[in-house]
Amino acid sequence: MAGQIRLRVSKRGPRGAIEPEDRERFDRAAELGDNLAATVEQVEGNRSQSQEAAGTAVDAAGAAGQHAGTASAAAGRAAIDAEAAAEGRAGAVAASDQAANYAAAAAQGARFSDTIAIGRASVANGETFGVRAGGTDGLLRPTVYRRDSATTHTPVVELADNSEVVALSARVGASGNNFLLVAYDDAGTPVAYLDDMAEWHLARLGSKSLQQHIIDANEQIGRAQSAITSIDLTTSTALWRVLTSDGRSPFLLDDLGNLYLARLGTKPLQQHIQAAQERLVEAAPAIESVQRVASPHIRRMTSAEGHVIELTDELGNWYLPRLGGKAVQDHILQMRDKFAELPGNAVKEMLKRRRVYDAVHDFAVPNDGITDASPAVQAAYDFLGAQANILGPSVLYFPQGVFRLDAYITPKSNVTTVMAGWGKSRFLPTGIQSAFLRNASPPLTRANFIDVEIDGTEQFYEGGPRVSTKGMFFQRWADCQFLRCYIHDTWATGLGIDFSADEGASGAPGGSWIIDGRFEDCGRGSQFNDPGSSGIGIGTGKYAKEPLIISRNICRGNRNFGIFLERQHSATDLYIARQNIITENICSENGAGIGEVGAGSTVLNSNQCNDNVLFGIYLYGGTIGGSNDGPHPGIETMVSENVAIGNGSDGLRWDGTLNKPAITTGFYTNHNQFHRNGGAGMRFIGKIGQEMVDFALRGDEIKGNAQGGIVLQQGSFRGFDILHARIIDNTGVALQIDAALADSRILGLTARSTLGMALQTTAISGLGALTNVDISECVQTGHATPNALTGVQTNITLGRNPGFTFT
């Protein structure tokens, strides 16, 4: 049966060094590999392991019913006896013979018929039946089938007698060999062997074990020096050759750490190891007990199976005896590093063809947290940036350590930065320096930052916050990704990047992402409402479309905002940029949760803005307002399904007092929760002398706030619709209208005071003039004064409003 894995339990010699004659027998066994395929064709079932035969016979015995216990005992005894093989030659032989006898006994007792048709008719679907050899169906060996239907069946196993098993065992390993396990490929050829000294062999490597090849290779590299006579540059990777004195090349190594042994052809040793490892694991049915130990070593094998793999960690690194506690993979990478230390231009040629680089190993970047790493880090980015123009994107990996930066780093397009993870490796900018800073054209493109930590505790500038003391500061960037970044304790903004371009260097549409990050305690050098000083601070307006998704971040304890978008200045060449989405973030304990200042059609959806010092969500004139009159609340912003609870001031504040003249406003909410805030649930402040146009509040829940539910504080609003709001148990007035209101509607308002102390004293009140306003389908309960609208009322229409009395 092609593709099956067979376990051979064979005789062993005495413990200690393997004798020369035993090695000679192994050589003969390895050389029989080609001939074995022909032998296997003659005895097709001989590869069946006694354990496999016994295990399969359980199915056949189950069909008979009365012999199930016998077959199960056979399988268990076979596994135990396989492990006992390590205790001596006699025990191994006895185990093999007895397991085969058990299998034969179970098979003979199963329900066997003379033909397939008779056997199939004697059982139900899914049950097994046996057919004797030599009948009209032409079977050469007794065979067990599974019935699929009344007319179809599937072969399960052919049963081989003990003499066939012993005969093939003798062919695989000559009499007296030391093999415990043999694994076959799909063609039936032995590909891997394990001896009782835990030496691991590949069939094509001759008599020398894998461990010995690795040890010898390390020694040869150490002696190589000028023996590196050529580097093969005909492929995309550099191959180093080590030559012997007679000019032969016993092995090669490429820049990715793949080891090529001459006997193994064009595939690297790692691929051969992986394939053979899988087959040896399958060949040891005793591997059923796995002991879990401390990470990263998560699979520790016991007894017999421990000879196959001594230890495998969670990354697949493989540990074998005699290799000094290092994984096979580590030994191969060590060979690569030894090459890199040899004289000549090998390293330079290697780097030209690499895609993934280790900053410490490949560029000698210091990671002790004391030495300034910025010159070496910048050299690495410069090298990879120049290479990317020719060969395409690459990755710069920063392993465990602290990378002190006394000068900022200029990132490069097409270079991805990856770190070992939060708490393991981090950038440590000092003084007035950001970790990364770039302010140039064209946009920085495809510069990704993954698992990057920036620790700003060493930043300081006595003059307060400035752009150079951020964690990262870019202007103009496209198709960049900031994934799982952790930026904390910076003097100014953590991630302060401006102008996400709508097209990259190629002219194709762009888009960037800030996802799954953590931004904490940024803006140490600021006071609230100073420029910058937020966890994430995005400048907008350089391009008409600046596509950016900010999602699933935690922004906590930042001096200004957790997340902040701000249109930069008022120059005529700047736009009200569109295509920003802020969703599913948590912004807590900041100066304010989320700020939106001047972008267009921004979507704020499903964010949590809780326990901030001032506001949950804040739309206003920004940190660079004043005389330039540039920023303003966001245009046509959608605020949907957010939660703002427990903030020190308003849950949501819209402040247009610095609004630029002739700017179309537009602001929309949908099913948000504004609960238990220290100010109003929602507050709107207009600019005196300018009409604010186009507002729609839909289905918002406003409850338990300290200064009223919805407050229109000043100015003039037109097209302001309050639709199906629930305003409950706030302090003072549920809906306060002190601004002028025109062409608007209050529909389906629920105003309710339920606490008994009448904290919410009035349902609708205010001094503002009302013109062309419809109030209908509203209901109020529990208020001492249902309504107290005292402003001039022109063309007011009233529908059914239970509990209200309008005059």
Coordinates of all heavy atoms in Angstrom, one line a residue, residues 521-577:
D521 N -0.2 57.5 27.6 CA 0.6 58.5 28.3 C 1.4 59.4 27.4 O 2.6 59.8 27.7 CB 1.4 57.9 29.4 CG 0.6 57.1 30.4 OD1 -0.4 57.7 30.8 OD2 0.9 55.9 30.7
C522 N 0.9 59.7 26.2 CA 1.7 60.5 25.3 C 1.3 62.0 25.5 O 0.2 62.3 26.0 CB 1.3 60.2 23.8 SG 1.8 58.5 23.4
G523 N 2.2 62.9 25.2 CA 2.0 64.3 25.4 C 2.4 64.8 26.8 O 1.8 65.7 27.4
R524 N 3.5 64.1 27.4 CA 3.9 64.5 28.8 C 4.3 66.0 28.9 O 4.2 66.5 30.0 CB 5.1 63.6 29.2 CG 4.8 62.2 29.3 CD 6.0 61.4 29.8 NE 7.1 61.5 28.9 CZ 8.2 62.1 29.1 NH1 8.4 62.9 30.2 NH2 9.2 62.1 28.2
G525 N 4.8 66.6 27.8 CA 5.2 67.9 27.9 C 4.2 69.0 27.6 O 4.5 70.1 27.4
S526 N 2.9 68.6 27.6 CA 1.8 69.5 27.2 C 0.8 69.8 28.3 O 0.7 69.1 29.3 CB 1.2 69.0 26.0 OG 2.1 68.6 25.0
Q527 N 0.0 70.8 28.0 CA -1.3 71.0 28.7 C -2.4 70.7 27.7 O -2.2 70.8 26.5 CB -1.3 72.5 29.2 CG -0.2 72.8 30.2 CD -0.3 72.0 31.4 OE1 -1.3 71.7 32.0 NE2 0.9 71.5 31.9
F528 N -3.6 70.5 28.2 CA -4.7 70.2 27.3 C -4.9 71.4 26.3 O -4.9 72.5 26.7 CB -6.0 69.9 28.1 CG -7.2 69.6 27.2 CD1 -7.3 68.4 26.6 CD2 -8.1 70.6 26.9 CE1 -8.3 68.1 25.8 CE2 -9.2 70.3 26.1 CZ -9.3 69.0 25.5
N529 N -5.2 71.0 25.1 CA -5.4 71.9 24.0 C -4.2 72.6 23.5 O -4.2 73.5 22.6 CB -6.5 73.0 24.3 CG -7.4 73.3 23.2 OD1 -7.7 72.3 22.4 ND2 -7.9 74.5 23.0
D530 N -3.0 72.2 24.0 CA -1.8 72.5 23.2 C -1.8 71.8 21.9 O -2.4 70.8 21.8 CB -0.5 72.1 24.0 CG -0.2 73.1 25.2 OD1 -0.8 74.2 25.2 OD2 0.5 72.7 26.1
P531 N -1.0 72.3 20.9 CA -1.0 71.6 19.7 C -0.4 70.2 19.9 O 0.6 70.0 20.6 CB 0.0 72.4 18.8 CG -0.2 73.8 19.4 CD -0.3 73.6 20.8
G532 N -1.0 69.2 19.2 CA -0.5 67.9 19.2 C -0.8 67.2 20.6 O -1.9 67.4 21.2
S533 N 0.1 66.4 21.0 CA 0.1 65.8 22.4 C -1.1 64.8 22.6 O -1.7 64.7 23.6 CB 0.0 66.9 23.5 OG 1.1 67.7 23.3
S534 N -1.4 64.1 21.5 CA -2.4 63.0 21.6 C -1.8 61.7 21.4 O -0.6 61.6 21.1 CB -3.5 63.3 20.5 OG -4.1 64.5 20.7
G535 N -2.6 60.6 21.6 CA -2.1 59.3 21.3 C -1.8 59.1 19.8 O -0.7 58.8 19.4
I536 N -2.9 59.3 19.0 CA -2.8 59.3 17.6 C -3.3 60.7 17.1 O -4.4 61.1 17.4 CB -3.7 58.2 17.0 CG1 -3.3 56.8 17.5 CG2 -3.7 58.2 15.4 CD1 -4.2 55.7 17.0
G537 N -2.4 61.4 16.4 CA -2.8 62.7 15.9 C -2.5 62.8 14.4 O -1.4 62.7 13.9
I538 N -3.6 63.0 13.6 CA -3.5 62.9 12.2 C -3.8 64.3 11.6 O -4.9 64.9 11.8 CB -4.5 61.9 11.6 CG1 -4.3 60.6 12.2 CG2 -4.3 61.8 10.1 CD1 -3.0 59.9 12.1
G539 N -2.8 64.9 10.9 CA -3.0 66.1 10.1 C -3.7 65.8 8.8 O -3.2 64.9 8.1
T540 N -4.7 66.6 8.4 CA -5.4 66.3 7.1 C -5.4 67.6 6.3 O -5.0 68.7 6.7 CB -6.8 65.9 7.4 OG1 -7.6 67.0 7.9 CG2 -6.9 64.8 8.4
G541 N -5.7 67.5 5.0 CA -6.0 68.6 4.1 C -5.0 68.8 3.0 O -5.2 69.7 2.1
K542 N -3.9 68.0 2.9 CA -3.0 68.1 1.8 C -3.5 67.6 0.5 O -3.2 68.1 -0.6 CB -1.7 67.4 2.1 CG -0.6 67.6 1.1 CD -0.1 69.0 1.1 CE 1.1 69.2 0.1 NZ 1.5 70.6 0.0
Y543 N -4.4 66.6 0.6 CA -5.0 66.0 -0.6 C -6.5 65.9 -0.4 O -7.0 66.0 0.7 CB -4.5 64.5 -0.7 CG -3.0 64.4 -0.8 CD1 -2.2 64.1 0.4 CD2 -2.3 64.6 -2.0 CE1 -0.9 64.1 0.4 CE2 -0.9 64.5 -2.0 CZ -0.2 64.2 -0.8 OH 1.2 64.2 -0.9
A544 N -7.2 65.9 -1.5 CA -8.6 65.9 -1.5 C -9.2 64.6 -0.9 O -10.2 64.6 -0.2 CB -9.2 66.0 -2.9
K545 N -8.5 63.5 -1.1 CA -8.8 62.2 -0.5 C -7.6 61.7 0.3 O -6.5 61.5 -0.3 CB -9.3 61.2 -1.6 CG -10.5 61.5 -2.3 CD -10.9 60.5 -3.3 CE -10.0 60.6 -4.5 NZ -10.4 59.7 -5.6
E546 N -7.8 61.4 1.5 CA -6.7 60.9 2.4 C -7.2 59.6 3.1 O -7.5 59.7 4.3 CB -6.3 62.0 3.4 CG -5.7 63.2 2.7 CD -5.2 64.3 3.7 OE1 -5.6 64.2 4.9 OE2 -4.5 65.2 3.2
P547 N -7.3 58.5 2.4 CA -7.9 57.3 2.9 C -7.1 56.8 4.1 O -6.0 56.5 4.0 CB -8.0 56.4 1.7 CG -7.0 56.9 0.8 CD -6.9 58.3 1.0
L548 N -7.8 56.6 5.2 CA -7.2 56.1 6.4 C -8.2 55.4 7.3 O -9.3 55.9 7.5 CB -6.5 57.3 7.2 CG -5.9 57.0 8.6 CD1 -4.8 56.0 8.4 CD2 -5.5 58.2 9.3
I549 N -7.8 54.2 7.8 CA -8.7 53.5 8.7 C -7.9 53.4 10.0 O -6.8 52.9 10.1 CB -9.0 52.1 8.2 CG1 -9.8 52.2 6.9 CG2 -9.7 51.3 9.3 CD1 -10.1 50.9 6.3
I550 N -8.5 53.9 11.1 CA -8.0 53.8 12.5 C -8.9 52.9 13.3 O -10.1 53.2 13.5 CB -7.9 55.2 13.1 CG1 -7.0 56.1 12.3 CG2 -7.3 55.0 14.5 CD1 -7.0 57.5 12.8
S551 N -8.4 51.7 13.6 CA -9.4 50.7 14.2 C -8.7 49.8 15.2 O -7.5 49.5 15.2 CB -9.9 49.8 13.0 OG -10.8 48.9 13.5
R552 N -9.5 49.5 16.2 CA -9.2 48.5 17.3 C -7.9 48.9 18.1 O -7.2 48.1 18.5 CB -9.0 47.1 16.7 CG -10.2 46.6 15.9 CD -10.2 45.1 15.8 NE -9.0 44.6 15.2 CZ -8.8 44.3 13.9 NH1 -9.8 44.3 13.1 NH2 -7.6 43.8 13.5
N553 N -7.8 50.2 18.3 CA -6.6 50.7 19.1 C -7.1 51.0 20.5 O -8.3 51.3 20.7 CB -6.0 51.9 18.5 CG -5.5 51.6 17.1 OD1 -4.4 51.0 16.9 ND2 -6.2 52.1 16.1
I554 N -6.2 50.9 21.5 CA -6.5 51.4 22.8 C -5.6 52.6 23.1 O -4.4 52.6 23.0 CB -6.2 50.3 23.9 CG1 -7.1 49.1 23.7 CG2 -6.3 50.8 25.3 CD1 -6.8 47.9 24.6
C555 N -6.3 53.7 23.4 CA -5.6 55.0 23.6 C -6.0 55.5 25.0 O -7.1 55.9 25.2 CB -6.0 56.0 22.5 SG -5.8 55.4 20.8
R556 N -5.0 55.6 25.8 CA -5.3 55.8 27.2 C -4.3 56.7 27.9 O -3.1 56.6 27.7 CB -5.3 54.4 27.9 CG -5.7 54.4 29.4 CD -5.9 52.9 29.9 NE -4.9 52.0 29.4 CZ -5.2 50.7 29.1 NH1 -6.4 50.2 29.3 NH2 -4.2 49.9 28.7
G557 N -4.8 57.6 28.7 CA -4.0 58.5 29.5 C -3.2 59.5 28.7 O -2.2 60.1 29.2
N558 N -3.6 59.9 27.5 CA -2.9 60.9 26.7 C -3.3 62.3 27.0 O -4.5 62.5 27.4 CB -3.1 60.6 25.2 CG -2.6 59.2 24.8 OD1 -1.4 58.9 24.8 ND2 -3.5 58.3 24.5
R559 N -2.4 63.2 27.0 CA -2.7 64.6 27.5 C -3.8 65.3 26.7 O -4.6 65.9 27.3 CB -1.4 65.4 27.4 CG -1.5 66.8 28.1 CD -1.9 66.7 29.6 NE -1.0 65.8 30.3 CZ 0.1 66.2 30.9 NH1 0.5 67.5 30.8 NH2 0.9 65.3 31.6
N560 N -3.8 65.2 25.4 CA -4.9 65.8 24.7 C -6.0 64.8 24.3 O -6.9 64.6 25.1 CB -4.3 66.5 23.4 CG -4.4 68.0 23.4 OD1 -4.9 68.6 24.4 ND2 -4.0 68.6 22.3
F561 N -5.9 64.2 23.2 CA -6.9 63.2 22.7 C -6.3 61.8 22.7 O -5.1 61.6 22.5 CB -7.4 63.6 21.4 CG -8.2 64.9 21.3 CD1 -7.6 66.1 21.2 CD2 -9.6 64.9 21.4 CE1 -8.4 67.3 21.2 CE2 -10.4 66.0 21.4 CZ -9.7 67.3 21.3
G562 N -7.2 60.9 22.8 CA -6.8 59.5 22.4 C -6.6 59.5 20.9 O -5.5 59.0 20.5
I563 N -7.5 60.0 20.1 CA -7.4 60.0 18.6 C -7.8 61.4 18.2 O -8.9 61.9 18.6 CB -8.3 58.9 17.9 CG1 -7.8 57.5 18.4 CG2 -8.2 59.0 16.4 CD1 -8.7 56.4 17.9
F564 N -7.1 62.0 17.2 CA -7.3 63.4 16.9 C -7.1 63.6 15.4 O -6.0 63.2 14.9 CB -6.4 64.3 17.7 CG -6.6 65.8 17.5 CD1 -7.8 66.3 17.7 CD2 -5.6 66.6 17.1 CE1 -8.0 67.7 17.6 CE2 -5.7 68.0 17.0 CZ -7.0 68.5 17.2
L565 N -8.0 64.1 14.7 CA -7.9 64.5 13.2 C -8.0 66.0 13.2 O -9.0 66.6 13.7 CB -8.9 63.9 12.4 CG -8.6 62.5 11.7 CD1 -8.5 61.5 12.8 CD2 -9.7 62.2 10.7
E566 N -7.1 66.7 12.5 CA -7.1 68.1 12.4 C -6.7 68.6 11.0 O -5.6 68.3 10.5 CB -6.2 68.8 13.5 CG -6.3 70.3 13.5 CD -5.6 70.9 14.7 OE1 -4.5 70.4 15.1 OE2 -6.0 71.9 15.2
R567 N -7.5 69.5 10.4 CA -7.1 70.1 9.2 C -6.0 71.1 9.5 O -6.1 71.9 10.4 CB -8.3 70.8 8.6 CG -8.1 71.5 7.2 CD -9.4 72.0 6.6 NE -9.2 72.6 5.3 CZ -9.0 73.9 5.1 NH1 -9.0 74.7 6.2 NH2 -8.8 74.3 3.9
Q568 N -5.0 71.1 8.7 CA -3.8 71.9 8.9 C -3.9 73.3 8.2 O -3.9 73.3 7.0 CB -2.5 71.2 8.5 CG -2.4 69.8 9.2 CD -2.0 70.0 10.6 OE1 -1.0 70.5 11.0 NE2 -2.9 69.5 11.5
H569 N -4.0 74.4 9.0 CA -3.9 75.7 8.5 C -5.1 76.1 7.5 O -6.0 75.4 7.3 CB -2.5 76.0 7.8 CG -1.4 75.6 8.7 ND1 -1.2 76.3 9.9 CD2 -0.5 74.7 8.6 CE1 -0.1 75.8 10.5 NE2 0.3 74.8 9.8
S570 N -4.9 77.2 6.9 CA -6.0 77.7 6.0 C -5.6 78.1 4.6 O -6.3 78.8 3.9 CB -6.6 79.0 6.7 OG -5.7 80.0 6.8
A571 N -4.4 77.6 4.2 CA -4.0 77.9 2.9 C -4.9 77.4 1.8 O -5.6 76.4 2.0 CB -2.6 77.3 2.6
T572 N -5.0 78.1 0.7 CA -6.0 77.8 -0.3 C -5.8 76.5 -1.0 O -6.6 75.9 -1.7 CB -6.0 78.9 -1.4 OG1 -4.7 79.1 -1.9 CG2 -6.5 80.2 -0.8
D573 N -4.5 76.0 -0.9 CA -4.2 74.7 -1.6 C -4.5 73.5 -0.7 O -4.3 72.4 -1.1 CB -2.8 74.7 -2.0 CG -1.8 74.7 -0.8 OD1 -2.2 75.3 0.2 OD2 -0.7 74.3 -1.0
L574 N -5.1 73.7 0.5 CA -5.4 72.6 1.3 C -6.9 72.3 1.2 O -7.7 73.2 0.9 CB -5.1 72.9 2.8 CG -3.6 73.1 3.1 CD1 -3.5 73.3 4.6 CD2 -2.8 71.9 2.6
Y575 N -7.2 71.0 1.4 CA -8.6 70.5 1.1 C -9.3 70.2 2.5 O -8.7 70.0 3.5 CB -8.5 69.3 0.3 CG -7.9 69.4 -1.1 CD1 -6.5 69.3 -1.3 CD2 -8.7 69.8 -2.2 CE1 -5.9 69.5 -2.5 CE2 -8.1 69.9 -3.4 CZ -6.7 69.8 -3.6 OH -6.2 70.0 -4.8
I576 N -10.6 70.0 2.3 CA -11.3 69.3 3.4 C -11.3 67.8 3.0 O -12.1 67.3 2.3 CB -12.8 69.8 3.5 CG1 -12.7 71.3 3.9 CG2 -13.6 69.1 4.5 CD1 -14.1 72.0 3.8
A577 N -10.3 67.2 3.5 CA -10.0 65.8 3.0 C -11.1 64.8 3.5 O -11.6 64.9 4.6 CB -8.6 65.4 3.5

